[in-house]
Amino acid sequence: MELYHPVSIGNINLKGNLFLAPVAGYSDSAFRSVCIENGAAFTYTEMVSAEALVRKNQKTEVLMQRACNEKAYAVQIFGGAEDVMAEAAQIVLEKTGCEVIDINCGCPVPKIIRSGAGSVLTKEPEKLYKIAGAVVKAVNVPVTVKIRSGWDRINLTWKEAAQAAIDAGVKAITIHPRTKTQGYEGHSDWSIMKKLVEFVGGRIPVFGSGDLFKPEDVVKMIEQTGVDAVMFARGAMGNPFIFRDTVSLLKNGSYEPVPVEERIKTGFEELERLVSTTNEKHACLEMRKRFSAYSKGICNGAALRAKIVHAETVQDYHDIFEGFI
């Protein structure tokens, strides 16, 4: 099979195999939209609390709204109670009409784990099975899961978690092959990813996430593990162009660096969309970290970032980048 190819999640057919992962504090509709414009074939929202959805917390609606150019996307939810997760999934569909519901079974953050969600579900396959099964029964769209390799290097439960997910009726599995105790430190173990692909044996697609920071990493992951698709997470922060570059590398064998002017222009497009979906104050504070990422590698970037961290208005950003656009 070609390195760049279509992928199906249940009855959802996607043109390519390069996805944007659910990233807390990043994967809002504004950022997803610029990733789509640069070649992302599928995107995921940041994780949304099932409890908050059921309690009708208004902030959750902003987290999961569809991007302006999003033809298909997944809303990722997390929770530790099967009835709440099932109800939350139904609310998500009512509010968004999203094409896929994804269940977070891998987040290592303590407050998520204390709620019985995230990495706990990779650790406890029986619980994963009950929650995933309840969500599958509750909605009429494909349900997917994202797991980790296990709790720690002694308790690697990816195989049991994957089997539980398949038995529950999920249509795809994503693995980030770090353990819960690793958090985001160290390196992801792609050999586990390869073993998962072999274990699943084509029954459903397997997607890979972890340590993808440049297009060449994608080539290595696909060739070494055989995953059906890859997910960019931190590698896409401030660099939505990584999708375009990777498509070019996979299809043509090379890619060209994105000019500085285009990088900054894309940052302003993201800012404008974030303002339109939230408000100027929130958007400008949020874009501090994002413009800092966009400015990496730019001449005098450190001086720019010293100003970016104090920006409070759209005009502040225009003043800072006056010589770049």
Side-chain angles (χ1 to χ4, degrees):
M1 183 179 286
E2 297 289 332
L3 290 174
Y4 184 75
H5 56 80
V7 177
S8 294
I9 303 175
N11 61 349
I12 306 301
N13 300 312
L14 307 170
K15 66 178 182 180
N17 57 338
L18 306 179
F19 301 167
L20 175 66
V23 183
Y26 244 95
S27 300
D28 52 38
S29 62
F31 182 59
R32 298 199 314 272
S33 71
V34 296
C35 288
I36 292 166
E37 287 174 351
N38 280 280
F42 195 59
T43 56
Y44 292 70
T45 68
E46 63 179 282
M47 60 182 184
V48 179
S49 166
E51 288 281 355
L53 282 166
V54 171
R55 293 175 183 174
K56 297 180 171 56
N57 184 312
Q58 297 300 311
K59 292 181 181 179
T60 57
E61 292 197 27
V62 175
L63 293 177
M64 61 187 186
Q65 62 188 356
R66 186 184 293 267
C68 57
N69 56 356
E70 212 155 33
K71 294 180 180 178
Y73 77 120
V75 173
Q76 187 186 73
I77 58 176
F78 73 91
E82 56 195 89
D83 57 336
V84 175
M85 286 287 279
E87 184 178 351
Q90 292 174 330
I91 293 171
V92 168
L93 279 187
E94 291 169 8
K95 297 285 187 181
T96 71
C98 68
E99 284 68 30
V100 174
I101 300 284
D102 188 60
I103 301 173
N104 184 303
C105 305
C107 180
V109 175
K111 70 176 182 179
I112 304 299
I113 290 170
R114 284 196 295 272
S115 71
S119 292
V120 169
L121 301 184
T122 296
K123 181 185 179 184
E124 301 177 8
E126 301 87 355
K127 188 174 184 180
L128 189 160
Y129 170 78
K130 290 179 181 178
I131 286 176
V135 174
V136 168
K137 291 176 183 176
V139 297
N140 61 354
V141 299
V143 176
T144 61
V145 300
K146 187 177 183 185
I147 66 173
R148 284 206 166 215
S149 53
W151 192 256
D152 54 35
R153 60 188 181 86
I154 304 300
N155 298 284
L156 298 176
T157 51
W158 58 267
K159 184 182 292 185
E160 293 82 359
Q163 187 60 59
I166 292 170
D167 290 344
V170 306
K171 299 302 183 183
I173 297 174
T174 301
I175 184 165
H176 181 149
R178 281 182 169 89
T179 63
K180 174 268 173 190
T181 55
Q182 275 185 281
Y184 299 98
E185 302 298 322
H187 295 286
S188 58
D189 187 348
W190 290 4
S191 69
I192 287 178
M193 196 180 293
K194 179 180 180 181
K195 291 175 184 175
L196 175 61
V197 171
E198 293 170 347
F199 173 73
V200 171
R203 288 178 283 176
I204 58 175
V206 175
F207 309 145
S209 177
D211 297 345
L212 295 173
F213 296 104
K214 55 185 185 297
E216 292 82 0
D217 295 334
V218 172
V219 175
K220 292 177 183 176
M221 179 179 281
I222 294 173
E223 290 181 343
Q224 291 177 18
T225 70
V227 290
D228 297 283
V230 303
M231 276 192 195
F232 287 109
R234 288 176 291 171
M237 294 180 182
N239 187 25
F241 320 104
I242 198 168
F243 293 97
R244 184 202 313 180
D245 292 345
T246 304
V247 170
S248 181
L249 181 64
L250 297 185
K251 295 175 74 172
N252 308 315
S254 65
Y255 60 95
E256 296 293 329
V258 177
V260 170
E261 296 82 1
E262 185 175 353
R263 289 166 61 182
I264 302 305
K265 180 184 176 185
T266 300
F268 274 100
E269 290 172 355
E270 186 178 345
L271 170 60
E272 290 169 8
R273 292 169 190 175
L274 196 52
V275 169
S276 69
T277 55
T278 57
N279 58 66
E280 183 173 8
K281 181 179 179 180
H282 169 85
C284 290
L285 291 176
E286 184 63 36
M287 286 301 295
R288 287 177 178 179
K289 66 184 178 186
R290 304 190 191 187
F291 266 119
S292 292
Y294 275 115
S295 68
K296 284 182 180 178
I298 293 177
C299 183
N300 296 321
L304 280 174
R305 287 188 285 278
K307 297 177 182 178
I308 289 169
V309 296
H310 297 292
E312 295 183 346
T313 66
V314 172
Q315 187 58 50
D316 286 343
Y317 284 111
H318 280 287
D319 293 341
I320 291 168
F321 290 103
E322 186 177 7
F324 291 90
I325 53 175

